[in-house]
Amino acid sequence: MELKRGSSSHSAYHLRPALKEGEERRTLAVLVDNESGVLARVIGLFSGRGYNIESLTVAETDHTGHRSRITVVTTGTPMVLDQIKAQLERMIPVHRVRDLTVEGPSVERELALVKVANAGDLRVEALRIRDAFRAQVVDASLESFVFELTGSPEKIDAFVDLMRPLGLVDVSRTGVAAISRGPGEM
Amino acid sequence: MTTTPKSSTMTGAEIVIKSLIDQGVEVVFGYPGGAVLPIYDELFKQNQIKHILVRHEQGATHAAEGYARSTGKPGVVLVTSGPGATNAVTGLQDALMDSIPLVCLTGQVPTFMIGNDAFQEADTIGITRPCTKHNWLVKDTDELAETMHEAFYVATSGRPGPVLIDIPKDVQFADGTYQPPRNFKPKAYQPKLKGDTADIQAAVELMEGAKKPLFYTGGGVINSGPHASTLLRDLVEATGFPITSTLMGLGAYPASGDKWLGMLGMHGTYEANWAMHDCDVMVCVGARFDDRITGRLDAFAPNSKKIHIDIDPSSINKNVRADVPIVGDVGHVLEDMIRIFRARGAKTEKTAVAKWWDQIDEWRGGKCLDFLNSETLIKPQYAVQRLADAMVKHGDYYVTTEVGQHQMWAAQYIPFDAPNRWMTSGGLGTMGYGCPAAVGVQVAHPDSLVVDVAGEASFMMTMQEMSTAIQYGLPIKIFILNNERLGMVRQWQQLLHGERYSSSYSEALPDFVKMAEAFGCVGLRCDKPGDLDGAIDEMINVDKPVIFDCLVEKHENCFPMIPSGKAHNEMLLSSSVSADNIGDAIKSDGAVLV
Ligand SMILES: Cc1ncc(C[n+]2csc(CCOP(=O)(O)OP(=O)(O)O)c2C)c(N)n1
Ligand SMILES: [Mg+2]
């Protein structure tokens, strides 16, 4: 099987098309007030101004302060990427925007649940690959498995691609969560 | 209504009125309906706030814009749910594009009916999210006062803009706690007012070394307050540099000042656009490098270093890279800039700048705004010139416009010596803006002369507000340059679409004089150049709303013009475009642009 590293042209949802000339990929962390409609505002900004969203995750991370953290992976020319940050920063419920790609090292992780339905040799092969990728089995029946895999988006792409000929049925991915390395706060 | 300094219990509708009073609001522009009846009931019971009943909710928003732009205070709009809110959308987007502070209150169906397709329900928050600076749905009466105060803060601070509060009817009826305004700031939103000293210093150094400097200023100067305009004048005098402005910034520097080059951009003057193209240091103050200004981006001021002062960081480096970006309020930054410039000895490259002025004077000598006048037909430019002369003679005038050729002629020929005197729809280009905006201006300045320079087509979009003018005794003057054409559309069709005039005639026009009379206004008509001055005087002197039907040359084009997608030095002048070459004056590669 042909596999391009770091590209998702083989992945289930084509999440990461190859970058266009002059464009870069950035992971932004956006701290917002968790008020109603805040996600719609952020998404509306991206769609209204024609910015790309490769992945977007959101959840409340501070229950007492009602703050949510949005992690968005986006692409664009450096000028557009600066615009995206400035546009996010001027939204009223946005507290802080960090460019995790540019502002020092960071870790990025994504979680996927991957369902395969198969039998015989294919079942054995799926389990072997699961071992290699250190995925967990979170559900099993006589004809299926659900694997839980955490890692970089590329690792998940690769795993999903390998599962495709082995009876891949369904994939659910969380999108990227990211955080800076070292002791510093966002 | 009693004034209680501390928190107290009242109904949501009472809280709305109390918050408005505590925010210093004197006028609300609105239109009632089922979902705002409790608020209208409270308006009825008090007499501190004046309510102006418009004839269409779009009119309320533009009137509030006119009020805001001419006073520096936020404009307040009150409309009902559903169609009331959707009718207000155009004005909200207009205010967003031109950075006008508006607070729009909309009624909403009761909270327990939201989402059920109730009568006159619309997702107002969803619809207006992209056309407001921020909006709120208030579901709890206890949060209403705080939200109202926050709304005023957001609308008026930083880069101003429209905000909207959607208030369900049950929230208006229910009791809640009123909180007076405190020194309130939202946690996250804190615009930066002071510019970075190091950046300002770097800017001053660039200015000191400039051989061909130019100030390029915009609506941000006016939004920063009259003080900013005064500082701008000081800085221009201190440096001796030439200055031009966008459509939105007219009046910040006086048109009678000797450093003034006129407006720049698509219909700007020859000298302003050439100076932009050739300058070596551009000082952009509160403007945003809009496409009407820059023309072709890759040919925009190719040899210049750019200093960009703006309160909104997202305006910087959006279209054009700034060499020295300064984030801050224009007034604050100019104050520091002048101080630093003086402290360093007020140095400039005097000889080089004098040579630059020689060059500019040569460009000025081209007299790009000259036009071929006529003895028999009223040229629109001539009409605007005569109007301008009469207004200057009268003094104390405010001008609004509609959108089209007449708007550009007004910008070119009417001089403004003070800020807040010129109200026009720049960013959105909304036909129908001028008449309701004039209503709002006249409400704020009852004794001043308020003229809407109009096109016949634009005026017909919101002319029902003449009825509002009559009701409240607002003697606004609608000065129609009636060319019986959607003139600006016709001009583009002539220049770019092979003279195929697809639907750009104003057919079946009403008799504007009779219409004026039907409204209870005064109607005047003029079609001879010789009668113009007398008719204009009559318009100015009558203490009633006037509709002035000025029949002008139908096929006049507005020049100078930088066609879309062209560079500043590819400007078309009236003298260079003749009847035979006009169809080919522009090659069609820019036709895709607007
Ligand atoms: C609401 C709206 N619809 C359409 C347009 C497009 N448009 C721009 S100028 C213009 C013609 C305006 O005609 P008129 O008001 O008579 O002014 P003139 O150009 O003739 O002076 C049109 C249709 C617009 N700017 N706004
Ligand atoms: Mg017309």
mmCIF file of all heavy atoms in Angstrom, chain B residues 402-407 409 428-432 454-459 461 481 483 485-489 506, ligand 1:
data_model
loop_
_atom_site.group_PDB
_atom_site.id
_atom_site.type_symbol
_atom_site.label_atom_id
_atom_site.label_comp_id
_atom_site.label_asym_id
_atom_site.label_seq_id
_atom_site.Cartn_x
_atom_site.Cartn_y
_atom_site.Cartn_z
ATOM 1 N N GLU B 402 -26.288 59.912 -0.156
ATOM 2 C CA GLU B 402 -26.670 58.560 -0.565
ATOM 3 C C GLU B 402 -25.429 57.935 -1.208
ATOM 4 O O GLU B 402 -24.317 58.376 -0.925
ATOM 5 C CB GLU B 402 -27.855 58.636 -1.539
ATOM 6 C CG GLU B 402 -29.027 59.465 -1.021
ATOM 7 C CD GLU B 402 -29.743 58.835 0.165
ATOM 8 O OE1 GLU B 402 -29.634 57.611 0.344
ATOM 9 O OE2 GLU B 402 -30.418 59.556 0.921
ATOM 10 N N VAL B 403 -25.639 56.957 -2.082
ATOM 11 C CA VAL B 403 -24.478 56.296 -2.677
ATOM 12 C C VAL B 403 -24.580 56.331 -4.200
ATOM 13 O O VAL B 403 -25.615 55.999 -4.762
ATOM 14 C CB VAL B 403 -24.348 54.844 -2.176
ATOM 15 C CG1 VAL B 403 -23.318 54.060 -2.987
ATOM 16 C CG2 VAL B 403 -23.946 54.858 -0.704
ATOM 17 N N GLY B 404 -23.499 56.751 -4.814
ATOM 18 C CA GLY B 404 -23.465 56.829 -6.277
ATOM 19 C C GLY B 404 -22.561 57.972 -6.697
ATOM 20 O O GLY B 404 -21.719 58.438 -5.926
ATOM 21 N N GLN B 405 -22.752 58.433 -7.916
ATOM 22 C CA GLN B 405 -21.926 59.527 -8.430
ATOM 23 C C GLN B 405 -22.058 60.779 -7.569
ATOM 24 O O GLN B 405 -21.070 61.441 -7.250
ATOM 25 C CB GLN B 405 -22.363 59.863 -9.864
ATOM 26 C CG GLN B 405 -22.057 58.797 -10.877
ATOM 27 C CD GLN B 405 -22.556 59.214 -12.255
ATOM 28 O OE1 GLN B 405 -23.658 59.715 -12.400
ATOM 29 N NE2 GLN B 405 -21.729 59.004 -13.267
ATOM 30 N N HIS B 406 -23.299 61.092 -7.187
ATOM 31 C CA HIS B 406 -23.543 62.310 -6.406
ATOM 32 C C HIS B 406 -22.727 62.302 -5.112
ATOM 33 O O HIS B 406 -22.256 63.330 -4.641
ATOM 34 C CB HIS B 406 -25.038 62.406 -6.065
ATOM 35 C CG HIS B 406 -25.501 61.258 -5.232
ATOM 36 N ND1 HIS B 406 -25.905 60.067 -5.771
ATOM 37 C CD2 HIS B 406 -25.548 61.099 -3.897
ATOM 38 C CE1 HIS B 406 -26.210 59.229 -4.797
ATOM 39 N NE2 HIS B 406 -25.997 59.821 -3.658
ATOM 40 N N GLN B 407 -22.550 61.110 -4.537
ATOM 41 C CA GLN B 407 -21.782 60.968 -3.293
ATOM 42 C C GLN B 407 -20.322 61.374 -3.530
ATOM 43 O O GLN B 407 -19.716 62.095 -2.730
ATOM 44 C CB GLN B 407 -21.867 59.502 -2.846
ATOM 45 C CG GLN B 407 -21.026 59.144 -1.626
ATOM 46 C CD GLN B 407 -20.977 57.622 -1.401
ATOM 47 O OE1 GLN B 407 -21.071 56.825 -2.346
ATOM 48 N NE2 GLN B 407 -20.837 57.209 -0.155
ATOM 49 N N TRP B 409 -19.197 63.264 -6.019
ATOM 50 C CA TRP B 409 -19.108 64.706 -6.312
ATOM 51 C C TRP B 409 -19.205 65.513 -5.015
ATOM 52 O O TRP B 409 -18.502 66.513 -4.851
ATOM 53 C CB TRP B 409 -20.205 65.110 -7.309
ATOM 54 C CG TRP B 409 -19.871 64.694 -8.722
ATOM 55 C CD1 TRP B 409 -18.661 64.819 -9.335
ATOM 56 C CD2 TRP B 409 -20.748 64.074 -9.673
ATOM 57 N NE1 TRP B 409 -18.731 64.324 -10.613
ATOM 58 C CE2 TRP B 409 -20.000 63.862 -10.859
ATOM 59 C CE3 TRP B 409 -22.089 63.688 -9.655
ATOM 60 C CZ2 TRP B 409 -20.544 63.280 -12.009
ATOM 61 C CZ3 TRP B 409 -22.642 63.125 -10.808
ATOM 62 C CH2 TRP B 409 -21.869 62.914 -11.955
ATOM 63 N N LEU B 428 -19.826 50.046 3.303
ATOM 64 C CA LEU B 428 -20.877 49.199 2.729
ATOM 65 C C LEU B 428 -21.464 49.820 1.464
ATOM 66 O O LEU B 428 -21.940 49.107 0.601
ATOM 67 C CB LEU B 428 -21.983 48.960 3.766
ATOM 68 C CG LEU B 428 -22.948 47.810 3.469
ATOM 69 C CD1 LEU B 428 -22.208 46.480 3.409
ATOM 70 C CD2 LEU B 428 -24.063 47.734 4.496
ATOM 71 N N GLY B 429 -21.405 51.137 1.349
ATOM 72 C CA GLY B 429 -21.974 51.794 0.172
ATOM 73 C C GLY B 429 -23.467 51.556 0.080
ATOM 74 O O GLY B 429 -23.971 51.033 -0.906
ATOM 75 N N THR B 430 -24.189 51.975 1.101
ATOM 76 C CA THR B 430 -25.608 51.673 1.211
ATOM 77 C C THR B 430 -26.456 52.787 0.609
ATOM 78 O O THR B 430 -26.585 53.865 1.212
ATOM 79 C CB THR B 430 -25.994 51.514 2.694
ATOM 80 O OG1 THR B 430 -25.081 50.600 3.305
ATOM 81 C CG2 THR B 430 -27.409 50.991 2.835
ATOM 82 N N MET B 431 -27.046 52.538 -0.549
ATOM 83 C CA MET B 431 -28.054 53.470 -1.077
ATOM 84 C C MET B 431 -29.176 53.545 -0.051
ATOM 85 O O MET B 431 -29.565 52.538 0.531
ATOM 86 C CB MET B 431 -28.629 52.965 -2.405
ATOM 87 C CG MET B 431 -27.669 52.998 -3.573
ATOM 88 S SD MET B 431 -28.366 52.136 -5.012
ATOM 89 C CE MET B 431 -29.693 53.247 -5.488
ATOM 90 N N GLY B 432 -29.690 54.740 0.174
ATOM 91 C CA GLY B 432 -30.758 54.895 1.157
ATOM 92 C C GLY B 432 -30.250 55.304 2.519
ATOM 93 O O GLY B 432 -31.032 55.485 3.452
ATOM 94 N N ALA B 454 -28.246 63.765 -2.630
ATOM 95 C CA ALA B 454 -28.879 62.492 -2.971
ATOM 96 C C ALA B 454 -28.882 62.234 -4.468
ATOM 97 O O ALA B 454 -28.752 63.142 -5.281
ATOM 98 C CB ALA B 454 -30.319 62.489 -2.459
ATOM 99 N N GLY B 455 -29.011 60.968 -4.803
ATOM 100 C CA GLY B 455 -29.368 60.567 -6.164
ATOM 101 C C GLY B 455 -30.841 60.190 -6.123
ATOM 102 O O GLY B 455 -31.341 59.766 -5.082
ATOM 103 N N GLU B 456 -31.507 60.342 -7.249
ATOM 104 C CA GLU B 456 -32.944 60.065 -7.235
ATOM 105 C C GLU B 456 -33.215 58.595 -6.925
ATOM 106 O O GLU B 456 -34.202 58.265 -6.269
ATOM 107 C CB GLU B 456 -33.590 60.512 -8.554
ATOM 108 C CG GLU B 456 -33.457 59.578 -9.758
ATOM 109 C CD GLU B 456 -32.025 59.395 -10.238
ATOM 110 O OE1 GLU B 456 -31.185 60.253 -9.941
ATOM 111 O OE2 GLU B 456 -31.758 58.381 -10.916
ATOM 112 N N ALA B 457 -32.338 57.710 -7.363
ATOM 113 C CA ALA B 457 -32.578 56.287 -7.136
ATOM 114 C C ALA B 457 -32.354 55.924 -5.670
ATOM 115 O O ALA B 457 -33.167 55.232 -5.060
ATOM 116 C CB ALA B 457 -31.668 55.456 -8.033
ATOM 117 N N SER B 458 -31.269 56.401 -5.105
ATOM 118 C CA SER B 458 -30.991 56.115 -3.695
ATOM 119 C C SER B 458 -32.094 56.649 -2.792
ATOM 120 O O SER B 458 -32.549 55.980 -1.867
ATOM 121 C CB SER B 458 -29.677 56.768 -3.262
ATOM 122 O OG SER B 458 -28.584 56.212 -3.922
ATOM 123 N N PHE B 459 -32.493 57.884 -3.074
ATOM 124 C CA PHE B 459 -33.488 58.527 -2.208
ATOM 125 C C PHE B 459 -34.752 57.690 -2.136
ATOM 126 O O PHE B 459 -35.397 57.583 -1.086
ATOM 127 C CB PHE B 459 -33.794 59.938 -2.741
ATOM 128 C CG PHE B 459 -34.846 60.665 -1.966
ATOM 129 C CD1 PHE B 459 -34.740 60.819 -0.584
ATOM 130 C CD2 PHE B 459 -35.946 61.215 -2.612
ATOM 131 C CE1 PHE B 459 -35.722 61.504 0.132
ATOM 132 C CE2 PHE B 459 -36.931 61.900 -1.906
ATOM 133 C CZ PHE B 459 -36.820 62.034 -0.523
ATOM 134 N N MET B 461 -35.067 54.686 -1.951
ATOM 135 C CA MET B 461 -34.963 53.494 -1.097
ATOM 136 C C MET B 461 -35.443 53.752 0.329
ATOM 137 O O MET B 461 -35.879 52.828 1.002
ATOM 138 C CB MET B 461 -33.526 52.986 -1.084
ATOM 139 C CG MET B 461 -33.132 52.335 -2.390
ATOM 140 S SD MET B 461 -31.813 51.155 -2.178
ATOM 141 C CE MET B 461 -31.768 50.440 -3.832
ATOM 142 N N LEU B 481 -29.515 65.186 -7.026
ATOM 143 C CA LEU B 481 -28.924 65.371 -8.345
ATOM 144 C C LEU B 481 -29.621 64.366 -9.244
ATOM 145 O O LEU B 481 -29.218 63.205 -9.345
ATOM 146 C CB LEU B 481 -27.420 65.103 -8.303
ATOM 147 C CG LEU B 481 -26.583 66.033 -7.429
ATOM 148 C CD1 LEU B 481 -25.104 65.663 -7.541
ATOM 149 C CD2 LEU B 481 -26.772 67.489 -7.829
ATOM 150 N N ASN B 483 -30.394 62.613 -12.259
ATOM 151 C CA ASN B 483 -29.937 62.318 -13.618
ATOM 152 C C ASN B 483 -30.802 61.238 -14.260
ATOM 153 O O ASN B 483 -30.463 60.724 -15.327
ATOM 154 C CB ASN B 483 -28.453 61.914 -13.623
ATOM 155 C CG ASN B 483 -28.162 60.808 -12.643
ATOM 156 O OD1 ASN B 483 -29.082 60.170 -12.107
ATOM 157 N ND2 ASN B 483 -26.885 60.550 -12.385
ATOM 158 N N ARG B 485 -30.960 58.332 -13.759
ATOM 159 C CA ARG B 485 -30.127 57.153 -14.022
ATOM 160 C C ARG B 485 -29.592 56.633 -12.695
ATOM 161 O O ARG B 485 -29.384 57.402 -11.751
ATOM 162 C CB ARG B 485 -28.883 57.507 -14.866
ATOM 163 C CG ARG B 485 -29.140 58.146 -16.198
ATOM 164 C CD ARG B 485 -29.665 57.131 -17.217
ATOM 165 N NE ARG B 485 -29.864 57.744 -18.534
ATOM 166 C CZ ARG B 485 -30.935 58.466 -18.877
ATOM 167 N NH1 ARG B 485 -31.901 58.699 -17.993
ATOM 168 N NH2 ARG B 485 -31.047 58.968 -20.089
ATOM 169 N N LEU B 486 -29.327 55.331 -12.668
ATOM 170 C CA LEU B 486 -28.468 54.804 -11.603
ATOM 171 C C LEU B 486 -27.058 55.163 -12.071
ATOM 172 O O LEU B 486 -26.349 54.350 -12.649
ATOM 173 C CB LEU B 486 -28.638 53.293 -11.449
ATOM 174 C CG LEU B 486 -30.084 52.771 -11.412
ATOM 175 C CD1 LEU B 486 -30.083 51.257 -11.189
ATOM 176 C CD2 LEU B 486 -30.882 53.442 -10.308
ATOM 177 N N GLY B 487 -26.723 56.424 -11.858
ATOM 178 C CA GLY B 487 -25.595 57.027 -12.556
ATOM 179 C C GLY B 487 -24.297 56.254 -12.423
ATOM 180 O O GLY B 487 -23.580 56.054 -13.405
ATOM 181 N N MET B 488 -23.982 55.817 -11.227
ATOM 182 C CA MET B 488 -22.697 55.132 -11.044
ATOM 183 C C MET B 488 -22.696 53.785 -11.763
ATOM 184 O O MET B 488 -21.678 53.370 -12.321
ATOM 185 C CB MET B 488 -22.399 54.956 -9.551
ATOM 186 C CG MET B 488 -20.982 54.523 -9.249
ATOM 187 S SD MET B 488 -19.755 55.657 -9.934
ATOM 188 C CE MET B 488 -19.399 56.685 -8.522
ATOM 189 N N VAL B 489 -23.849 53.132 -11.766
ATOM 190 C CA VAL B 489 -23.956 51.864 -12.491
ATOM 191 C C VAL B 489 -23.817 52.137 -13.993
ATOM 192 O O VAL B 489 -23.080 51.450 -14.703
ATOM 193 C CB VAL B 489 -25.298 51.177 -12.175
ATOM 194 C CG1 VAL B 489 -25.507 49.960 -13.072
ATOM 195 C CG2 VAL B 489 -25.366 50.782 -10.706
ATOM 196 N N SER B 506 -33.549 55.185 -14.323
ATOM 197 C CA SER B 506 -34.586 55.375 -13.318
ATOM 198 C C SER B 506 -35.872 55.680 -14.071
ATOM 199 O O SER B 506 -36.154 56.826 -14.386
ATOM 200 C CB SER B 506 -34.244 56.547 -12.390
ATOM 201 O OG SER B 506 -33.194 56.184 -11.536
HETATM 202 C C1 LIG C 1 -28.684 49.133 -1.510
HETATM 203 C C2 LIG C 1 -27.829 49.228 -2.723
HETATM 204 N N1 LIG C 1 -28.197 48.589 -3.862
HETATM 205 C C3 LIG C 1 -27.425 48.681 -4.966
HETATM 206 C C4 LIG C 1 -26.269 49.400 -4.963
HETATM 207 C C5 LIG C 1 -25.413 49.493 -6.212
HETATM 208 N N2 LIG C 1 -25.352 50.896 -6.698
HETATM 209 C C6 LIG C 1 -24.305 51.706 -6.407
HETATM 210 S S1 LIG C 1 -24.523 53.263 -7.006
HETATM 211 C C7 LIG C 1 -25.999 52.865 -7.695
HETATM 212 C C8 LIG C 1 -26.801 53.882 -8.452
HETATM 213 C C9 LIG C 1 -27.253 54.982 -7.590
HETATM 214 O O1 LIG C 1 -28.123 55.813 -8.318
HETATM 215 P P1 LIG C 1 -28.503 57.249 -7.767
HETATM 216 O O2 LIG C 1 -28.889 57.157 -6.347
HETATM 217 O O3 LIG C 1 -29.475 57.866 -8.681
HETATM 218 O O4 LIG C 1 -27.109 58.010 -7.789
HETATM 219 P P2 LIG C 1 -26.230 58.505 -9.040
HETATM 220 O O5 LIG C 1 -25.115 57.539 -9.225
HETATM 221 O O6 LIG C 1 -27.127 58.582 -10.233
HETATM 222 O O7 LIG C 1 -25.722 59.846 -8.613
HETATM 223 C C10 LIG C 1 -26.306 51.524 -7.448
HETATM 224 C C11 LIG C 1 -27.508 50.843 -7.939
HETATM 225 C C12 LIG C 1 -25.916 50.023 -3.742
HETATM 226 N N3 LIG C 1 -24.782 50.705 -3.608
HETATM 227 N N4 LIG C 1 -26.707 49.939 -2.662
#
